[in-house]
Amino acid sequence: MPSTTDPQTPIWHPSPNFGPRRDGLQPSLIVIHYTAMDNAEVALDRLCDPEAQVSAHYLIGVCGTVWQMVREEDRAWHAGAGEWRGKDDINSRSIGVELDNKGDHPFAQPQMDALERLLPRIMDRWAIAPDGVIGHSDMAPGRKSDPGAKFDWPRLENQRLAQRRGYAKSPEIASMDEFRARARDAGFTSDADDATLLAAVRLRYRPWSNGPLTPEDFSPLGHTTLST
C-alpha cells in the first residue's frame, strides 16, 4: 500500500485484477493509455471490477486527481498482446497509467501536470529511461490507438519524460523497407503490416499526417538511440 505521509501520494483504490510479475521481471517501461470512458469514476469502477479483468497501476482524472489501484511491484492487466523492442509480456515489464480521456480532445492541463509529477517518481524508483515511456499504440499497432492523436508527446519529450524524437535529414526516396528498419530500431517491433506500422509511427510522431509514406515520416526516427 502506498505511503500516506506524502502529500502527493495517490488515492489508494485497490483493484483485485493483478498478479505477480512473471519470470522475475521488473518494470522497465511505462505505458500511457486513455480510458475511452465517460469519466474517471466510471473508469475506476471498471478497472476494479473482477469481471472486467482489466486494471492499471494508476488513473489520472481531468482535474489532476491520481488514484493507484495496483502496487508497482505487481503485474496489472493493462497492456494485453503486443511487443516493444522485441520483448513481449508487456504487463510484466511495465507500469500502466490511464488518463481520463476519450482520445477526441486535448488532455486537461491539471491532468498533464499530475502526469508530469508522477512519471519522474516512477522512473526514479525503477531506473526507467525516457525511451521506456511509450503509448499503448506503440506496442500494439492497429489493435490500440491510445493515448491518441491529441496527446502532447513533445511536452513530455522536452522534460526528458519520453524519448526525444530525431530530426534527421529525410531520405530523397521513401522506401518502406528502410522505414520499417528505422521504426524497428526505434522500438516498433510488434508484428504489423506496412500500413499499420506507418499509422502507429505517425500516431506517435506526426498525427496530422495521412496518405502514403513520405520522406518526412523518417525524420522523427532519425536519432532513436538517444534517450536524453
Side-chain angles (χ1 to χ4, degrees), residues 121-173:
R121 294 158 73 92
I122 300 172
M123 294 165 78
D124 287 347
R125 280 193 288 270
W126 299 102
I128 298 174
D131 63 359
V133 180
I134 64 173
H136 200 186
S137 58
D138 296 335
M139 48 80 51
R143 188 175 69 83
K144 293 296 180 179
S145 60
D146 50 320
K150 301 296 185 180
F151 187 74
D152 193 351
W153 283 109
R155 174 171 170 164
L156 295 190
E157 293 170 21
N158 289 337
Q159 300 179 69
R160 300 185 179 182
L161 297 178
Q163 172 69 54
R164 295 172 69 178
R165 66 196 63 205
Y167 294 97
K169 182 179 179 180
S170 301
E172 294 183 5
I173 299 175

Side-chain angles (χ1 to χ4, degrees), residues 14-17 43-55 77:
S15 171
N17 304 331
L44 191 63
D45 286 345
R46 178 169 174 78
L47 293 166
C48 296
D49 180 356
E51 294 188 4
Q53 296 189 7
V54 293
S55 62
W77 305 339

